[in-house]
Amino acid sequence: MAFTYFFRDLQTLEMICDHAIPTLRLKQKIKIWDAGCAMGPEPYTLAMLLRDRIGHMYFRNVKIQATDIDGSDLFDKIIYEAEYPREQVQRIPKEIFEKYFVKVENQDRYCLIDEIKAAVSFQKHDLLTLSSIGQDFGLILCKNVLLHFNEQERIAVIRMFHDSLIDGGYLAMEQTQKLPVELKDLFEPVVSNAQLYKKV
């Protein structure tokens, strides 16, 4: 299970919006895989940022497939309902929070609006099976997961990601997780200040 929270590592997510999305929005659909999503803050953060950047009409073409090994079997329900206690949403910028969340009646919990929820789906998945959940992804995020694998496992998983991306698709990883040198011919860095790569 990956650990994350809303708007964690915002710099990388902003780099995705600045550099990857302008290219990907030329496609009919933007298909994204968030690998190691925990209970949903990361894919939902990306969904909110994309909705702000590309507007309502094109956002309908965004599909984020979120996965996690999920030993608890709770993530599907949590991501589907998209309800979070107050302490988990306090980091969210006020203008974003007020636009995309509504208070759950008689509870100290907040729920994402249907437009954002509809963009994200969840399935249980173990990356170390090296079996992709699909093909033709424009963007794959994998943050705070690869560091739990050994070097050979990381290389194998990233190769699987490469095979799952469209030509020119993007891979975003944790700031501290460098691309293994064995894979330098598969990806090119997009920026110098974030682990964002483009498939070559």
Side-chain angles (χ1 to χ4, degrees), residues 6 38-45 47-48 66 74-86 88-89 92 97 100-105 107-122:
F6 283 101
M39 296 187 182
E42 183 173 83
Y44 280 135
T45 296
M48 289 184 279
L74 293 174
F75 290 6
D76 191 10
K77 180 176 186 294
I78 291 169
I79 292 173
Y80 174 76
E81 294 179 349
E83 291 183 10
Y84 298 91
R86 177 190 294 272
Q88 291 186 23
V89 299
I92 301 172
F97 176 73
Y100 297 120
F101 283 85
V102 293
K103 191 175 188 303
V104 178
E105 188 175 358
Q107 296 185 48
D108 198 20
R109 299 175 64 83
Y110 297 84
C111 183
L112 277 154
I113 64 171
D114 288 344
E115 182 184 14
I116 301 299
K117 289 197 290 185
V120 178
S121 62
F122 173 81

Side-chain angles (χ1 to χ4, degrees), residues 174-191:
E174 183 74 14
Q175 280 284 55
T176 58
Q177 189 63 59
K178 308 297 185 186
L179 187 73
V181 294
E182 293 90 339
L183 305 178
K184 62 182 178 61
D185 293 334
L186 298 183
F187 294 93
E188 60 184 17
V190 177
V191 292

Side-chain angles (χ1 to χ4, degrees), residues 34-195:
D34 188 331
C37 65
M39 296 187 182
E42 183 173 83
Y44 280 135
T45 296
L46 182 59
M48 289 184 279
L49 289 172
L50 291 179
R51 171 61 177 81
D52 261 15
R53 293 291 186 102
I54 65 180
H56 167 71
M57 292 299 290
Y58 194 80
F59 183 70
R60 293 180 299 179
N61 297 325
V62 172
K63 297 301 176 188
I64 302 174
Q65 295 176 241
T67 66
D68 202 284
I69 197 168
D70 182 18
S72 68
D73 288 326
L74 293 174
F75 290 6
D76 191 10
K77 180 176 186 294
I78 291 169
I79 292 173
Y80 174 76
E81 294 179 349
E83 291 183 10
Y84 298 91
R86 177 190 294 272
E87 60 268 21
Q88 291 186 23
V89 299
Q90 288 178 331
R91 297 173 184 265
I92 301 172
K94 183 179 179 182
E95 66 276 9
I96 296 284
F97 176 73
E98 291 178 348
K99 184 186 295 188
Y100 297 120
F101 283 85
V102 293
K103 191 175 188 303
V104 178
E105 188 175 358
N106 299 322
Q107 296 185 48
D108 198 20
R109 299 175 64 83
Y110 297 84
C111 183
L112 277 154
I113 64 171
D114 288 344
E115 182 184 14
I116 301 299
K117 289 197 290 185
V120 178
S121 62
F122 173 81
Q123 68 185 80
K124 189 171 181 176
H125 180 259
D126 181 356
L127 287 172
L128 292 180
T129 64
L130 303 180
S131 175
S132 177
I133 64 165
Q135 299 295 317
D136 300 322
F137 289 100
L139 168 68
I140 295 176
L141 290 84
C142 188
K143 300 165 69 209
N144 204 30
V145 177
L146 294 174
L147 59 90
H148 298 292
F149 300 160
N150 65 43
E151 186 70 4
Q152 292 309 307
E153 289 170 339
R154 283 194 289 271
I155 290 170
V157 169
I158 295 172
R159 286 189 187 279
M160 182 260 292
F161 288 155
H162 180 270
D163 292 341
S164 303
L165 286 166
I166 61 172
D167 290 340
Y170 294 84
L171 171 67
M173 299 189 299
E174 183 74 14
Q175 280 284 55
T176 58
Q177 189 63 59
K178 308 297 185 186
L179 187 73
V181 294
E182 293 90 339
L183 305 178
K184 62 182 178 61
D185 293 334
L186 298 183
F187 294 93
E188 60 184 17
V190 177
V191 292
S192 60
N193 55 344
Q195 299 302 314

